[in-house]
Amino acid sequence: MYKVKKLNRLGFDIVSGCPLRCIGCPNSVIKPKIKYITMDDFCVCLSNVDAEHIDLLRLFNFGEPLLHSDVPGLLKQVKKQKWNPRRVEISTSGQYFDNKQMLEILRTKALTILAVSCDGNASPEEYEKLRPPARWEKLIEFVRKVGEMKKRYSPQLVLIARIICTDLQNQKLWKMILNPFGWKCQFRCRIPLPESQDTLTNDFKAPNALCSFLNDRHPKIMFHKAYVSYDGTVISCCRHPKAGEFGNLKFEKLSSILSSDKRKKVKHDLQTRRADMRICGKCEDVVA
């Protein structure tokens, strides 16, 4: 069995599903029902994470974490773990603001990064077109209120706006809008995700090869990331919530799951019959 010494990243979806139907997200097609992890299940799952150290814990993946009714309570449980992570992050659409809960989140002092995800050319019209049924005014209200609360209650918290935008002029517009509220802007291009609305007509077929998430040939890559669904299921990656399932943290240690025959089989299938795999066969993450 492989011993997990360090995870660079552990992604844990405390909420499954999201009310938004962003065109670049698989939620836009699979339309999952919104479900929440219970406090009891969360505690059990955390106790089965037998890593010695975790650099970054992300309490999100494909769900909207701020829909959970007790984010502060979950953060307090994280602080109790022996592998207490160096950084803890939540990423949100910025469409859901609960003043009382946000205040309690900041007062835990457990959260080190709060990110908000955005799209488009910094115009309300395109933003709402790409992320329906999001509303521009809710985004602006969110970044303004959180920016004000951060100054007073959690000055050390890093606020990041992650924006899909490659045009330099539009990037300047985003900075003009968000920087005054204390948010740093990070820009990236859109990553094509399997079963998202904008890849439905894509005829790409992946060759037989591992992806970056399951490439263990280099010791620095081995098990450096792990992702967990709201129900404790350990999944293969952060590109699709159902790409591969290896086990469940409610019943097994993480080290056992990452060394499991299920994980080995998915790796074998990637190398021998990837084009036949419904999700991975359409994914452009290929390691030569």
Side-chain angles (χ1 to χ4, degrees), residues 204-216:
F204 174 81
K205 291 185 178 182
N208 291 334
L210 294 171
C211 63
S212 60
F213 297 94
L214 294 174
N215 179 16
D216 302 334

Side-chain angles (χ1 to χ4, degrees), residues 9-18 25-27 58-65 89-91 193 213 226-230 233 235-242:
R9 181 187 303 171
L10 175 63
F12 201 125
D13 234 346
I14 59 175
V15 174
S16 172
C18 175
C25 177
N27 284 337
R58 285 181 159 178
L59 296 180
F60 66 93
N61 197 8
F62 288 96
E64 170 52 66
E89 177 182 349
I90 285 177
S91 181
L193 301 179
F213 297 94
Y227 300 90
V228 187
S229 296
Y230 85 99
T233 302
I235 59 176
S236 60
C237 68
C238 63
R239 290 200 168 199
H240 194 284
K242 296 292 184 179

